[in-house]
Amino acid sequence: PVNVMACSKVLVLCGTTYAQRLWCVWELLVLFSFASEQNAAERIKLLDLTSSSDALDRLATFDVAHARCYDPNHQARLRTAIEAVSGSLFNQRIRSWATSLQKPSTPSFLMRSASRLKL
């Protein structure tokens, strides 16, 4: 958590399975739990690695209950921590953030190709 919060920007390389990877969404949880929703959203640079908006659509319907870890012990520990900060609130924040990225007026927080990557 300290490493994530110390970053001025967080690069999210978002493919079709990103929202299902518990360690990946854990980093978003840290950011959205310890920063205001606006500050967290401004710090994230999302690079959509899909050819469509599939990754963003998955984040717009995000449910942490569907995210998994390879190691069941890690998964149990992460789930305990997530529930301690309210998994349902986390779901709402991720969905809200993803929905805002889908709007045409969204600033450069969403990047569709690596050639536009500017940190």
Side-chain angles (χ1 to χ4, degrees):
V2 173
N3 293 336
V4 173
M5 292 310 297
C7 297
S8 61
K9 298 286 183 197
V10 175
L11 177 62
V12 173
L13 302 174
C14 194
T16 56
T17 62
Y18 181 85
Q20 299 166 339
R21 296 172 182 246
L22 196 53
W23 276 112
C24 293
V25 298
W26 169 257
E27 292 177 346
L28 293 179
L29 171 86
V30 169
L31 195 57
F32 278 95
S33 294
F34 296 105
S36 69
E37 193 167 345
Q38 180 179 350
N39 179 269
E42 289 172 356
R43 291 170 62 185
I44 298 171
K45 294 285 189 175
L46 185 135
L47 179 57
D48 187 344
L49 300 176
T50 65
S51 58
S52 63
S53 62
D54 188 46
L56 204 51
D57 291 341
R58 289 173 191 247
L59 287 172
T61 59
F62 177 76
D63 186 343
V64 72
H66 298 137
R68 303 277 183 262
C69 283
Y70 176 76
D71 184 328
N73 295 315
H74 289 180
Q75 183 169 311
R77 289 182 183 138
L78 289 173
R79 290 210 180 280
T80 299
I82 289 167
E83 286 308 313
V85 296
S86 180
S88 60
L89 178 61
F90 177 51
N91 286 341
Q92 290 173 348
R93 286 186 170 183
I94 296 302
R95 291 173 188 161
S96 173
W97 168 64
T99 302
S100 73
L101 290 176
Q102 292 176 319
K103 295 178 182 172
S105 61
T106 299
S108 63
F109 303 123
L110 172 65
M111 299 170 286
R112 292 277 181 208
S113 73
S115 63
R116 291 178 40 197
L117 183 60
K118 295 179 185 172
L119 295 177

